[in-house]
Amino acid sequence: MFKRKQNLPWVGLSLMADSHFLTATRPLFEQGEVEVLEWSFDAGWEDTIPFWASELIDFYSQRDRLLGHGVTYSLLSAEWSDRQMHWLKQFQAECSRHRYVHISEHFGWMSAGNFARSAPLPMPYTPDAVSLGRDRLQRLADAAKVPVGLENLAFAFGQKDVADQGKFITELLEPVDGFLLLDLHNLFCQIHNFQLSIPELLASYPLARVRELHLSGGSWSRTTPDSNLVRRDTHDGAVPEAVFDLLAIALKQCTNVKAVILERLGHTLNSEPEIEQFRQDFNRIKQIVKRCG
């Protein structure tokens, strides 16, 4: 069914419910190469997903190979809102429909008052923020009934946000014995944007809690024509060589990894060269996981 050596982390994909993703990934699914599937379930609450995507979700759920990834809960929003209460009710129904191995959400916040939604943004590391985040994460854990975790963030308003993020996440996870979803491209963004060393940044995170790894590509941008290049986690390009290097390092230092997931927005896979690169990236991940095992 799945081509996997025992005791190695599963290697899989983040599901994008569009036709470009299906075209790019169909051979991988048909050949049994996709050992685990991650589904951003709250994306499916807003739009009707195609039949083939629903079938994939059910297939991996029935085989205990489905990972849940929330996007819009907004863990660190200061005010507990009706929107979040509704989200949790939908989430409870989601967990009754599908059998998830574990559930992750993003560190940070993405909604506040009339500010409806954005990419996740950081919160200052303070005792009150930790207390608030622990409450929100406990609510998530109570509804999930499976292990819950947080994904590290690429965004930071300054060097202190970067330095504090690992400690902040550690304190949020401890009461629920949660896991860290370590996004390696997000680390790559921080390393470049804040001129950090790999050992320095990795050491700031609770590596023993890492249960899942993410890899993706991204893009470069400038705030002004003469400003420094900023790396962004936009999920619209090939995986950089430096991120593959980070994978090999992380697999050696994170001894509890259960799954490694490749992410890319489906609509960015709209040419044969991009599709071929995506498949090569996936196969490269499998090779590194096998070599490091």
Side-chain angles (χ1 to χ4, degrees):
M1 183 188 303
F2 299 114
K3 298 179 180 179
R4 176 180 181 259
K5 182 180 176 183
Q6 290 297 320
N7 303 320
L8 290 180
W10 300 326
V11 178
L13 297 171
S14 174
L15 175 63
M16 299 289 131
D18 63 54
S19 59
H20 297 288
F21 178 86
L22 177 60
T23 299
T25 61
R26 186 193 291 272
L28 300 175
F29 284 110
E30 290 178 345
Q31 295 161 19
E33 296 290 348
V34 183
E35 301 158 347
V36 62
L37 189 69
E38 183 168 78
W39 171 230
S40 294
F41 46 81
D42 45 5
W45 300 343
E46 298 179 2
D47 300 298
T48 301
I49 66 171
F51 177 76
W52 62 264
S54 180
E55 287 285 286
L56 278 175
I57 294 166
D58 289 343
F59 177 87
Y60 283 87
S61 170
Q62 291 161 9
R63 288 156 181 81
D64 293 316
R65 295 290 185 95
L66 183 65
L67 311 180
H69 189 51
V71 177
T72 60
Y73 181 44
S74 197
L75 183 88
L76 292 177
S77 289
E79 180 179 316
W80 181 248
S81 65
D82 290 341
R83 186 197 65 79
Q84 285 167 302
M85 285 191 284
H86 180 61
W87 190 98
L88 273 182
K89 287 180 181 178
Q90 288 180 290
F91 176 62
Q92 288 175 316
E94 177 70 34
C95 291
S96 67
R97 281 194 302 270
H98 298 117
R99 207 161 61 212
Y100 289 101
V101 175
H102 64 223
I103 301 288
S104 59
E105 242 294 348
H106 293 85
F107 170 73
W109 59 278
M110 64 177 302
S111 64
N114 291 330
F115 184 73
R117 187 177 300 177
S118 77
L121 297 171
M123 177 78 82
Y125 176 42
T126 67
D128 285 344
V130 170
S131 178
L132 179 147
R134 284 179 167 180
D135 172 77
R136 307 297 192 257
L137 194 56
Q138 185 65 62
R139 294 177 195 233
L140 186 69
D142 290 344
K145 304 291 193 299
V146 294
V148 296
L150 295 175
E151 179 182 0
N152 59 301
L153 199 62
F155 276 107
F157 293 124
Q159 195 84 32
K160 184 167 172 38
D161 283 341
V162 182
D164 287 345
Q165 188 176 136
K167 293 179 289 186
F168 199 161
I169 290 175
T170 299
E171 290 197 34
L172 293 177
L173 294 175
E174 282 176 344
V176 295
D177 193 22
F179 67 90
L180 173 60
L181 192 173
L182 191 63
D183 188 301
L184 300 179
H185 188 263
N186 284 351
L187 289 183
F188 174 60
C189 292
Q190 302 282 42
I191 288 165
H192 171 82
N193 295 340
F194 293 92
Q195 300 179 338
L196 300 172
S197 71
I198 293 172
E200 176 186 8
L201 190 56
L202 277 176
S204 70
Y205 285 94
L207 300 185
R209 289 191 179 274
V210 176
R211 183 180 168 102
E212 182 180 342
L213 299 172
H214 273 185
L215 290 88
S216 66
S219 58
W220 300 97
S221 65
R222 300 180 190 270
T223 53
T224 63
D226 57 349
S227 65
N228 292 331
L229 278 171
V230 172
R231 184 67 183 184
R232 299 171 57 218
D233 185 49
T234 47
H235 294 191
D236 56 0
V239 176
E241 190 66 27
V243 176
F244 286 122
D245 293 340
L246 277 170
L247 174 60
I249 294 168
L251 287 169
K252 291 176 181 176
Q253 295 193 29
C254 306
T255 58
N256 297 310
V257 175
K258 190 175 185 69
V260 181
I261 299 294
L262 174 62
E263 301 178 291
R264 180 151 175 176
L265 295 174
H267 68 268
T268 69
L269 296 165
N270 51 24
S271 71
E272 282 302 319
E274 288 168 328
I275 289 171
E276 182 57 31
Q277 182 64 62
F278 178 78
R279 292 173 183 165
Q280 289 177 9
D281 285 350
F282 181 78
N283 290 327
R284 178 92 178 272
I285 292 169
K286 295 199 83 168
Q287 292 167 6
I288 293 171
V289 168
K290 183 177 180 179
R291 186 173 71 243
C292 293

